[in-house]
Coordinates of all heavy atoms in Angstrom, one line a residue:
E952 N 11.1 78.5 -111.5 CA 9.9 78.6 -110.6 C 10.1 77.8 -109.4 O 9.7 78.2 -108.3 CB 8.7 78.1 -111.4 CG 7.4 78.4 -110.7 CD 6.2 78.1 -111.5 OE1 6.0 78.8 -112.5 OE2 5.5 77.2 -111.1
L953 N 10.6 76.6 -109.5 CA 10.8 75.7 -108.3 C 11.8 76.3 -107.3 O 11.6 76.3 -106.1 CB 11.3 74.3 -108.7 CG 11.5 73.3 -107.6 CD1 10.2 73.1 -106.9 CD2 12.0 72.0 -108.2
E954 N 12.9 76.9 -107.9 CA 13.9 77.6 -107.1 C 13.3 78.8 -106.4 O 13.6 79.0 -105.2 CB 15.1 78.0 -107.9 CG 16.2 78.7 -107.2 CD 16.9 77.8 -106.1 OE1 16.8 76.6 -106.3 OE2 17.4 78.4 -105.2
Q955 N 12.5 79.5 -107.0 CA 11.8 80.7 -106.5 C 10.9 80.2 -105.3 O 10.8 80.9 -104.2 CB 11.0 81.4 -107.5 CG 10.6 82.8 -107.2 CD 10.0 83.5 -108.4 OE1 9.4 82.8 -109.2 NE2 10.1 84.8 -108.5
H956 N 10.2 79.1 -105.5 CA 9.3 78.6 -104.5 C 10.1 78.1 -103.3 O 9.7 78.4 -102.1 CB 8.5 77.4 -105.1 CG 7.5 76.8 -104.1 ND1 6.4 77.5 -103.6 CD2 7.5 75.6 -103.5 CE1 5.8 76.7 -102.7 NE2 6.4 75.5 -102.7
R957 N 11.2 77.5 -103.5 CA 12.1 77.0 -102.4 C 12.6 78.2 -101.6 O 12.6 78.2 -100.4 CB 13.2 76.2 -103.0 CG 14.1 75.6 -101.9 CD 15.3 74.8 -102.5 NE 16.2 75.7 -103.1 CZ 17.1 76.4 -102.5 NH1 17.2 76.4 -101.2 NH2 18.0 77.2 -103.1
Q958 N 13.0 79.3 -102.3 CA 13.5 80.4 -101.6 C 12.4 81.1 -100.8 O 12.6 81.6 -99.6 CB 14.1 81.4 -102.6 CG 15.4 81.0 -103.2 CD 15.9 81.9 -104.2 OE1 15.2 82.8 -104.6 NE2 17.1 81.7 -104.7
E959 N 11.2 81.1 -101.3 CA 10.1 81.7 -100.6 C 9.7 80.9 -99.3 O 9.5 81.5 -98.3 CB 8.8 81.8 -101.5 CG 7.6 82.4 -100.8 CD 7.7 83.9 -100.5 OE1 8.6 84.5 -101.1 OE2 6.9 84.3 -99.7
L960 N 9.8 79.6 -99.4 CA 9.6 78.7 -98.3 C 10.6 78.9 -97.2 O 10.3 78.9 -96.0 CB 9.5 77.2 -98.7 CG 8.2 76.8 -99.4 CD1 8.3 75.4 -99.9 CD2 7.0 77.0 -98.6
Q961 N 11.9 79.0 -97.6 CA 13.0 79.3 -96.7 C 12.8 80.6 -96.0 O 12.9 80.7 -94.7 CB 14.3 79.3 -97.4 CG 14.8 78.0 -97.8 CD 16.2 78.1 -98.5 OE1 16.6 79.1 -98.9 NE2 16.8 76.9 -98.7
R962 N 12.4 81.6 -96.7 CA 12.1 82.9 -96.1 C 11.0 82.9 -95.1 O 11.1 83.4 -94.0 CB 11.8 84.0 -97.2 CG 11.7 85.4 -96.6 CD 11.3 86.4 -97.7 NE 10.0 86.1 -98.3 CZ 8.9 86.4 -97.7 NH1 8.9 86.9 -96.5 NH2 7.7 86.1 -98.3
M963 N 9.9 82.2 -95.5 CA 8.8 82.0 -94.6 C 9.1 81.3 -93.3 O 8.7 81.6 -92.2 CB 7.6 81.4 -95.3 CG 7.0 82.3 -96.3 SD 5.8 81.5 -97.5 CE 4.9 80.4 -96.4
T964 N 9.9 80.2 -93.5 CA 10.4 79.4 -92.3 C 11.2 80.3 -91.4 O 11.0 80.2 -90.2 CB 11.2 78.2 -92.8 OG1 10.4 77.4 -93.7 CG2 11.7 77.4 -91.6
T965 N 12.1 81.1 -91.9 CA 12.9 81.9 -91.1 C 12.1 83.0 -90.4 O 12.2 83.2 -89.2 CB 13.9 82.7 -92.0 OG1 14.7 81.7 -92.7 CG2 14.8 83.6 -91.2
Q966 N 11.1 83.5 -91.1 CA 10.2 84.5 -90.4 C 9.4 83.9 -89.3 O 9.2 84.4 -88.2 CB 9.3 85.1 -91.4 CG 10.0 86.1 -92.3 CD 9.0 86.7 -93.4 OE1 8.0 86.1 -93.6 NE2 9.5 87.7 -94.1
K967 N 9.0 82.6 -89.5 CA 8.2 81.9 -88.5 C 9.0 81.6 -87.3 O 8.6 81.8 -86.1 CB 7.6 80.6 -89.0 CG 6.7 79.9 -88.1 CD 6.0 78.7 -88.8 CE 5.1 78.0 -87.9 NZ 4.4 76.9 -88.5
I968 N 10.3 81.2 -87.5 CA 11.2 81.0 -86.4 C 11.5 82.2 -85.6 O 11.4 82.3 -84.4 CB 12.5 80.3 -86.9 CG1 12.2 78.9 -87.4 CG2 13.6 80.3 -85.8 CD1 13.4 78.3 -88.1
L969 N 11.7 83.3 -86.3 CA 12.0 84.6 -85.7 C 10.9 85.2 -85.0 O 11.0 86.1 -84.1 CB 12.6 85.6 -86.7 CG 14.0 85.2 -87.2 CD1 14.4 86.2 -88.3 CD2 15.0 85.2 -86.1
A970 N 9.6 84.8 -85.3 CA 8.4 85.4 -84.7 C 8.3 84.8 -83.3 O 7.5 85.3 -82.5 CB 7.2 85.1 -85.5
Q971 N 9.0 83.7 -83.0 CA 8.9 83.1 -81.6 C 9.4 84.1 -80.6 O 10.4 84.8 -80.9 CB 9.6 81.8 -81.6 CG 9.1 80.8 -82.6 CD 7.7 80.4 -82.3 OE1 7.3 80.2 -81.2 NE2 6.9 80.2 -83.4
P972 N 8.9 84.1 -79.4 CA 9.3 85.0 -78.4 C 10.8 84.8 -78.0 O 11.2 83.6 -77.9 CB 8.5 84.7 -77.1 CG 7.3 84.0 -77.7 CD 7.7 83.4 -79.0
G973 N 11.6 85.8 -78.0 CA 13.0 85.7 -77.6 C 13.9 85.4 -78.7 O 15.1 85.3 -78.5
M974 N 13.4 85.2 -79.9 CA 14.3 84.8 -81.1 C 14.8 86.0 -81.8 O 15.8 85.9 -82.5 CB 13.5 83.9 -82.0 CG 13.2 82.6 -81.5 SD 14.7 81.6 -81.2 CE 15.3 81.3 -82.8
R975 N 14.3 87.2 -81.6 CA 14.7 88.4 -82.4 C 15.2 89.4 -81.4 O 14.5 89.8 -80.4 CB 13.6 88.9 -83.2 CG 14.0 90.1 -84.0 CD 12.8 90.6 -84.7 NE 12.4 89.7 -85.7 CZ 12.1 90.0 -87.0 NH1 12.1 91.2 -87.4 NH2 11.8 89.0 -87.8
E976 N 16.4 89.9 -81.6 CA 17.0 91.0 -80.8 C 16.9 92.2 -81.6 O 17.2 92.2 -82.8 CB 18.4 90.7 -80.4 CG 18.6 89.5 -79.6 CD 20.1 89.2 -79.3 OE1 20.9 90.1 -79.6 OE2 20.4 88.1 -78.9
E977 N 16.5 93.3 -81.0 CA 16.4 94.6 -81.7 C 17.8 95.0 -82.1 O 18.8 94.8 -81.4 CB 15.8 95.7 -80.8 CG 14.4 95.4 -80.5 CD 13.5 95.2 -81.7 OE1 13.6 96.0 -82.6 OE2 12.7 94.3 -81.6
G978 N 18.0 95.5 -83.3 CA 19.3 95.9 -83.8 C 20.1 94.8 -84.4 O 21.2 95.0 -84.9
M979 N 19.5 93.6 -84.4 CA 20.2 92.4 -85.0 C 20.3 92.6 -86.5 O 21.3 92.2 -87.2 CB 19.6 91.1 -84.6 CG 20.3 89.9 -85.2 SD 19.4 88.4 -84.8 CE 19.8 88.2 -83.1
F980 N 19.2 93.1 -87.1 CA 19.1 93.2 -88.5 C 19.5 94.6 -89.0 O 19.1 95.5 -88.4 CB 17.7 92.8 -89.0 CG 17.3 91.4 -88.8 CD1 16.6 91.0 -87.7 CD2 17.7 90.5 -89.8 CE1 16.3 89.7 -87.5 CE2 17.4 89.1 -89.6 CZ 16.7 88.8 -88.5
T981 N 20.3 94.6 -90.1 CA 20.6 95.9 -90.7 C 20.0 95.9 -92.0 O 19.4 95.0 -92.5 CB 22.1 96.1 -90.7 OG1 22.7 95.1 -91.6 CG2 22.8 96.0 -89.4
T982 N 20.2 97.0 -92.7 CA 19.6 97.1 -94.0 C 20.5 96.4 -95.1 O 20.1 96.3 -96.2 CB 19.5 98.6 -94.4 OG1 20.8 99.3 -94.3 CG2 18.5 99.3 -93.5
E983 N 21.7 96.0 -94.7 CA 22.5 95.3 -95.6 C 21.9 93.9 -96.0 O 21.7 93.1 -95.1 CB 23.9 95.1 -95.0 CG 24.7 96.4 -94.7 CD 26.0 96.1 -94.1 OE1 26.6 95.0 -94.4 OE2 26.5 97.0 -93.4
K984 N 21.7 93.7 -97.3 CA 21.1 92.5 -97.7 C 22.0 91.3 -97.4 O 21.5 90.2 -97.0 CB 20.9 92.5 -99.2 CG 20.0 91.4 -99.7 CD 19.6 91.6 -101.2 CE 18.7 90.5 -101.6 NZ 18.2 90.7 -103.0
S985 N 23.3 91.4 -97.6 CA 24.2 90.3 -97.3 C 24.2 89.8 -95.9 O 24.3 88.6 -95.6 CB 25.7 90.6 -97.7 OG 26.2 91.7 -96.9
K986 N 24.0 90.7 -94.9 CA 23.9 90.4 -93.5 C 22.6 89.6 -93.3 O 22.6 88.6 -92.5 CB 24.0 91.6 -92.7 CG 24.4 91.3 -91.2 CD 24.8 92.5 -90.5 CE 25.3 92.1 -89.1 NZ 25.8 93.2 -88.3
D987 N 21.5 90.0 -93.9 CA 20.3 89.4 -93.8 C 20.4 87.9 -94.4 O 19.9 87.0 -93.8 CB 19.2 90.1 -94.5 CG 18.8 91.4 -93.8 OD1 19.1 91.5 -92.6 OD2 18.1 92.2 -94.4
E988 N 21.0 87.8 -95.5 CA 21.1 86.5 -96.2 C 22.0 85.6 -95.3 O 21.7 84.4 -95.2 CB 21.7 86.7 -97.6 CG 20.7 87.3 -98.5 CD 21.4 87.6 -99.9 OE1 22.6 87.4 -100.0 OE2 20.6 88.0 -100.8
E989 N 23.0 86.1 -94.8 CA 23.9 85.3 -93.9 C 23.1 84.8 -92.7 O 23.2 83.7 -92.3 CB 25.1 86.1 -93.5 CG 26.1 85.4 -92.5 CD 26.8 84.2 -93.2 OE1 26.8 84.1 -94.4 OE2 27.2 83.3 -92.4
H990 N 22.4 85.7 -92.1 CA 21.6 85.4 -90.9 C 20.5 84.3 -91.3 O 20.4 83.3 -90.5 CB 20.9 86.6 -90.3 CG 20.2 86.3 -89.0 ND1 20.9 86.1 -87.9 CD2 18.9 86.3 -88.7 CE1 20.0 85.9 -86.9 NE2 18.8 86.0 -87.4
E991 N 19.9 84.4 -92.4 CA 18.9 83.4 -92.8 C 19.6 82.1 -93.1 O 19.0 81.1 -92.7 CB 18.2 83.9 -94.1 CG 17.0 84.8 -93.8 CD 16.1 85.0 -95.0 OE1 15.8 84.0 -95.6 OE2 15.7 86.1 -95.3
R992 N 20.8 82.1 -93.7 CA 21.5 80.9 -93.9 C 21.8 80.2 -92.6 O 21.7 79.0 -92.5 CB 22.8 81.2 -94.7 CG 23.5 79.9 -95.2 CD 24.9 80.2 -95.7 NE 25.7 80.8 -94.7 CZ 26.3 80.2 -93.7 NH1 26.1 78.9 -93.5 NH2 27.1 80.8 -92.9
M993 N 22.2 81.0 -91.6 CA 22.6 80.4 -90.3 C 21.4 79.8 -89.7 O 21.4 78.7 -89.1 CB 23.2 81.4 -89.4 CG 24.6 81.8 -89.8 SD 25.3 83.2 -88.9 CE 24.8 83.0 -87.2
I994 N 20.2 80.4 -89.7 CA 19.0 79.9 -89.1 C 18.6 78.6 -89.9 O 18.2 77.7 -89.2 CB 17.9 81.0 -89.1 CG1 18.2 82.0 -88.1 CG2 16.5 80.3 -88.8 CD1 17.3 83.2 -88.0
L995 N 18.6 78.7 -91.2 CA 18.3 77.5 -92.0 C 19.2 76.3 -91.6 O 18.7 75.2 -91.5 CB 18.3 77.8 -93.5 CG 17.9 76.7 -94.4 CD1 16.5 76.3 -94.2 CD2 18.2 77.1 -95.8
E996 N 20.5 76.6 -91.5 CA 21.4 75.5 -91.1 C 21.1 74.9 -89.7 O 21.1 73.7 -89.6 CB 22.8 76.1 -91.1 CG 23.9 75.1 -90.9 CD 25.3 75.8 -91.0 OE1 25.5 76.5 -91.9 OE2 26.1 75.6 -90.0
K997 N 20.8 75.8 -88.8 CA 20.4 75.3 -87.4 C 19.1 74.5 -87.5 O 19.0 73.5 -86.8 CB 20.3 76.5 -86.5 CG 21.6 77.0 -86.1 CD 21.5 78.1 -85.1 CE 22.9 78.7 -84.8 NZ 23.2 78.8 -83.5
F998 N 18.1 75.0 -88.3 CA 16.9 74.3 -88.4 C 17.1 72.9 -89.0 O 16.6 71.9 -88.5 CB 15.9 75.1 -89.3 CG 14.6 74.4 -89.5 CD1 13.7 74.3 -88.5 CD2 14.3 73.9 -90.7 CE1 12.4 73.7 -88.7 CE2 13.1 73.3 -91.0 CZ 12.1 73.2 -89.9
R999 N 17.9 72.8 -90.1 CA 18.2 71.6 -90.7 C 18.9 70.6 -89.8 O 18.6 69.4 -89.7 CB 19.0 71.8 -92.0 CG 19.4 70.5 -92.7 CD 20.0 70.7 -94.0 NE 20.5 69.5 -94.6 CZ 19.8 68.6 -95.2 NH1 18.5 68.7 -95.2 NH2 20.4 67.5 -95.7
E1000 N 19.9 71.2 -89.0 CA 20.6 70.4 -88.0 C 19.7 69.8 -87.0 O 19.8 68.6 -86.6 CB 21.7 71.2 -87.4 CG 22.5 70.5 -86.4 CD 23.5 71.4 -85.7 OE1 24.1 72.3 -86.4 OE2 23.8 71.3 -84.5
S1001 N 18.7 70.6 -86.5 CA 17.8 70.1 -85.5 C 16.9 69.0 -86.1 O 16.5 68.0 -85.4 CB 16.9 71.2 -84.9 OG 16.0 71.7 -85.9
V1002 N 16.5 69.1 -87.3 CA 15.7 68.1 -88.0 C 16.5 66.8 -88.1 O 16.0 65.7 -87.8 CB 15.1 68.6 -89.3 CG1 14.5 67.4 -90.1 CG2 14.1 69.7 -89.1
V1003 N 17.7 66.9 -88.6 CA 18.5 65.8 -88.8 C 18.8 65.1 -87.5 O 18.8 63.8 -87.4 CB 19.9 66.1 -89.5 CG1 20.9 65.0 -89.5 CG2 19.6 66.6 -90.9
N1004 N 19.0 65.8 -86.4 CA 19.3 65.2 -85.1 C 18.1 64.7 -84.4 O 18.2 64.1 -83.3 CB 20.0 66.3 -84.2 CG 21.4 66.5 -84.7 OD1 22.0 65.7 -85.4 ND2 22.0 67.7 -84.4
S1005 N 16.9 65.0 -84.9 CA 15.7 64.6 -84.3 C 15.3 63.1 -84.5 O 14.4 62.6 -83.9 CB 14.5 65.4 -84.8 OG 14.2 65.1 -86.1
G1006 N 16.1 62.5 -85.4 CA 15.8 61.0 -85.7 C 15.0 60.8 -86.9 O 14.8 59.7 -87.3
V1007 N 14.5 61.9 -87.5 CA 13.7 61.8 -88.7 C 14.7 61.5 -89.9 O 15.7 62.1 -90.0 CB 13.0 63.1 -89.0 CG1 12.2 63.1 -90.3 CG2 12.0 63.4 -87.9
R1008 N 14.3 60.6 -90.8 CA 15.1 60.3 -91.9 C 14.8 61.4 -93.0 O 13.7 61.7 -93.4 CB 14.8 58.9 -92.5 CG 15.3 57.8 -91.6 CD 15.0 56.5 -92.2 NE 13.6 56.2 -92.0 CZ 12.9 55.3 -92.6 NH1 13.6 54.4 -93.4 NH2 11.7 55.1 -92.4
V1009 N 15.9 62.0 -93.5 CA 15.8 63.1 -94.4 C 16.2 62.5 -95.8 O 17.2 61.9 -96.0 CB 16.8 64.2 -94.1 CG1 16.7 65.3 -95.1 CG2 16.4 64.8 -92.7
V1010 N 15.3 62.8 -96.8 CA 15.6 62.3 -98.2 C 16.1 63.5 -98.9 O 15.6 64.6 -98.9 CB 14.2 61.8 -98.8 CG1 14.5 61.4 -100.3 CG2 13.6 60.7 -98.0
E1011 N 17.2 63.3 -99.6 CA 17.9 64.3 -100.4 C 17.0 64.6 -101.6 O 16.3 63.7 -102.2 CB 19.3 63.9 -100.8 CG 20.3 63.7 -99.7 CD 20.5 65.1 -99.0 OE1 20.5 66.1 -99.6 OE2 20.7 65.0 -97.7
G1012 N 17.1 65.8 -102.1 CA 16.4 66.2 -103.3 C 15.2 67.1 -103.1 O 14.8 67.3 -101.9
D1013 N 14.5 67.5 -104.1 CA 13.4 68.4 -104.0 C 12.0 67.6 -104.0 O 11.0 68.2 -103.7 CB 13.3 69.3 -105.2 CG 14.5 70.3 -105.2 OD1 15.0 70.5 -104.1 OD2 14.9 70.8 -106.2
A1014 N 12.0 66.4 -104.4 CA 10.8 65.6 -104.4 C 11.0 64.2 -104.0 O 12.1 63.6 -104.1 CB 10.2 65.6 -105.9
L1015 N 9.9 63.6 -103.5 CA 10.0 62.2 -103.1 C 9.9 61.3 -104.3 O 9.2 61.6 -105.2 CB 8.9 61.9 -102.1 CG 8.9 62.6 -100.7 CD1 7.7 62.2 -99.9 CD2 10.2 62.2 -100.0
G1016 N 10.5 60.1 -104.2 CA 10.4 59.1 -105.2 C 9.1 58.4 -105.1 O 8.4 58.5 -104.1
V1017 N 8.8 57.5 -106.1 CA 7.5 56.8 -106.0 C 7.5 55.8 -104.8 O 6.5 55.7 -104.1 CB 7.4 55.9 -107.3 CG1 6.2 55.0 -107.2 CG2 7.3 56.8 -108.5
H1018 N 8.7 55.2 -104.5 CA 8.7 54.3 -103.4 C 8.5 55.1 -102.0 O 8.0 54.5 -101.1 CB 10.0 53.5 -103.4 CG 11.2 54.3 -103.3 ND1 11.7 55.0 -104.4 CD2 12.1 54.5 -102.3 CE1 12.8 55.6 -104.1 NE2 13.1 55.3 -102.8
H1019 N 9.0 56.3 -102.0 CA 8.8 57.1 -100.7 C 7.3 57.5 -100.6 O 6.7 57.4 -99.5 CB 9.6 58.4 -100.8 CG 11.1 58.2 -100.8 ND1 11.9 58.6 -101.8 CD2 11.9 57.6 -99.9 CE1 13.1 58.2 -101.5 NE2 13.1 57.6 -100.4
R1020 N 6.7 57.9 -101.7 CA 5.2 58.2 -101.6 C 4.4 57.0 -101.2 O 3.4 57.1 -100.5 CB 4.8 58.8 -102.9 CG 5.3 60.2 -103.2 CD 4.6 60.9 -104.3 NE 4.7 60.2 -105.6 CZ 5.5 60.4 -106.6 NH1 6.3 61.4 -106.5 NH2 5.5 59.7 -107.7
L1021 N 4.8 55.8 -101.8 CA 4.1 54.6 -101.5 C 4.2 54.2 -100.0 O 3.3 53.9 -99.3 CB 4.6 53.4 -102.3 CG 3.9 52.1 -102.1 CD1 2.4 52.1 -102.4 CD2 4.6 51.0 -102.9
A1022 N 5.5 54.4 -99.5 CA 5.7 54.1 -98.1 C 4.9 55.0 -97.2 O 4.4 54.6 -96.1 CB 7.2 54.2 -97.8
N1023 N 4.9 56.3 -97.5 CA 4.1 57.3 -96.7 C 2.6 56.9 -96.7 O 2.0 57.0 -95.7 CB 4.3 58.7 -97.2 CG 5.7 59.2 -96.9 OD1 6.4 58.7 -96.0 ND2 6.1 60.3 -97.6
F1024 N 2.1 56.6 -97.9 CA 0.7 56.2 -98.0 C 0.4 55.0 -97.1 O -0.6 54.9 -96.4 CB 0.3 55.9 -99.5 CG -1.1 55.5 -99.6 CD1 -2.1 56.5 -99.6 CD2 -1.5 54.2 -99.7 CE1 -3.5 56.2 -99.8 CE2 -2.8 53.8 -99.9 CZ -3.8 54.8 -99.9
W1025 N 1.3 54.0 -97.2 CA 1.2 52.8 -96.5 C 1.1 53.1 -95.0 O 0.3 52.5 -94.2 CB 2.4 51.9 -96.8 CG 2.3 50.5 -96.2 CD1 2.4 50.1 -94.9 CD2 2.0 49.3 -96.9 NE1 2.2 48.8 -94.7 CE2 2.0 48.2 -96.0 CE3 1.8 49.0 -98.2 CZ2 1.8 46.9 -96.3 CZ3 1.7 47.7 -98.6 CH2 1.6 46.7 -97.6
Q1026 N 2.0 54.0 -94.5 CA 2.0 54.3 -93.1 C 0.8 55.1 -92.6 O 0.3 54.9 -91.5 CB 3.3 55.1 -92.7 CG 4.5 54.3 -92.7 CD 5.7 55.1 -92.4 OE1 5.7 56.3 -92.4 NE2 6.8 54.4 -92.0
E1027 N 0.3 55.9 -93.5 CA -0.9 56.8 -93.2 C -2.2 56.0 -93.3 O -3.2 56.3 -92.6 CB -0.9 58.0 -94.1 CG 0.2 59.0 -93.9 CD 0.2 60.1 -94.9 OE1 -0.6 60.1 -95.9 OE2 1.1 60.9 -94.8
N1028 N -2.3 54.9 -94.1 CA -3.5 54.2 -94.4 C -3.3 52.7 -94.3 O -3.5 52.0 -95.3 CB -4.0 54.6 -95.8 CG -4.2 56.1 -96.0 OD1 -5.1 56.6 -95.4 ND2 -3.3 56.6 -96.8
P1029 N -2.9 52.2 -93.1 CA -2.6 50.8 -93.0 C -3.8 49.9 -93.3 O -3.6 48.7 -93.7 CB -2.1 50.6 -91.6 CG -2.7 51.8 -90.8 CD -2.8 52.9 -91.8
F1030 N -5.0 50.3 -93.1 CA -6.2 49.5 -93.2 C -6.8 49.5 -94.6 O -7.6 48.7 -95.0 CB -7.3 49.8 -92.2 CG -6.8 49.6 -90.8 CD1 -6.6 50.6 -90.0 CD2 -6.6 48.3 -90.3 CE1 -6.1 50.4 -88.7 CE2 -6.1 48.1 -89.0 CZ -5.9 49.2 -88.2
K1031 N -6.3 50.4 -95.5 CA -6.8 50.5 -96.8 C -6.1 49.6 -97.8 O -6.5 49.4 -98.9 CB -6.7 52.0 -97.4 CG -7.7 52.9 -96.7 CD -7.6 54.3 -97.4 CE -8.5 55.2 -96.7 NZ -8.4 56.6 -97.3
I1032 N -4.9 49.1 -97.3 CA -4.1 48.3 -98.2 C -4.3 46.8 -98.0 O -4.6 46.3 -97.0 CB -2.6 48.7 -98.1 CG1 -2.5 50.1 -98.5 CG2 -1.7 47.7 -98.9 CD1 -1.1 50.6 -98.5

């Protein structure tokens, strides 16, 4: 179920990126599933590269650890602690 959710999010991200003006060329997509998957993989790779190069720290894995959630809460609510 988690893998299925991850794939759905990747597909939605790709569609959102391609919906931007100038990102989709007519005739780029064919009915071949492998070509679509390759294209999605390339877009996902470029998206990940842009996030990594943006200076944001990326945590490996599917979920944040307790210390990551605590740090995020601390940053979002400095006056509550």
Side-chain angles (χ1 to χ4, degrees):
E952 186 174 297
L953 182 61
E954 180 65 23
Q955 197 175 28
H956 180 66
R957 185 181 68 78
Q958 289 175 352
E959 180 68 17
L960 286 176
Q961 284 179 348
R962 187 184 61 76
M963 289 170 42
T964 300
T965 302
Q966 288 176 344
K967 187 173 182 179
I968 291 171
L969 290 176
Q971 301 297 319
M974 290 298 290
R975 182 180 291 226
E976 296 177 17
E977 295 304 317
M979 179 184 288
F980 292 96
T981 64
T982 58
E983 297 178 27
K984 190 174 184 176
S985 63
K986 196 166 188 176
D987 289 343
E988 289 174 353
E989 177 67 20
H990 186 70
E991 278 196 43
R992 187 192 61 76
M993 288 173 38
I994 289 178
L995 182 63
E996 185 178 311
K997 288 183 184 230
F998 178 72
R999 179 172 171 74
E1000 182 181 322
S1001 70
V1002 170
V1003 169
N1004 291 336
S1005 70
V1007 174
R1008 289 183 284 170
V1009 178
V1010 177
E1011 295 295 327
D1013 293 336
L1015 295 176
V1017 175
H1018 59 287
H1019 295 118
R1020 290 193 303 258
L1021 179 64
N1023 286 344
F1024 180 81
W1025 187 289
Q1026 287 181 343
E1027 292 172 0
N1028 304 291
F1030 298 109
K1031 290 184 179 179
I1032 297 181

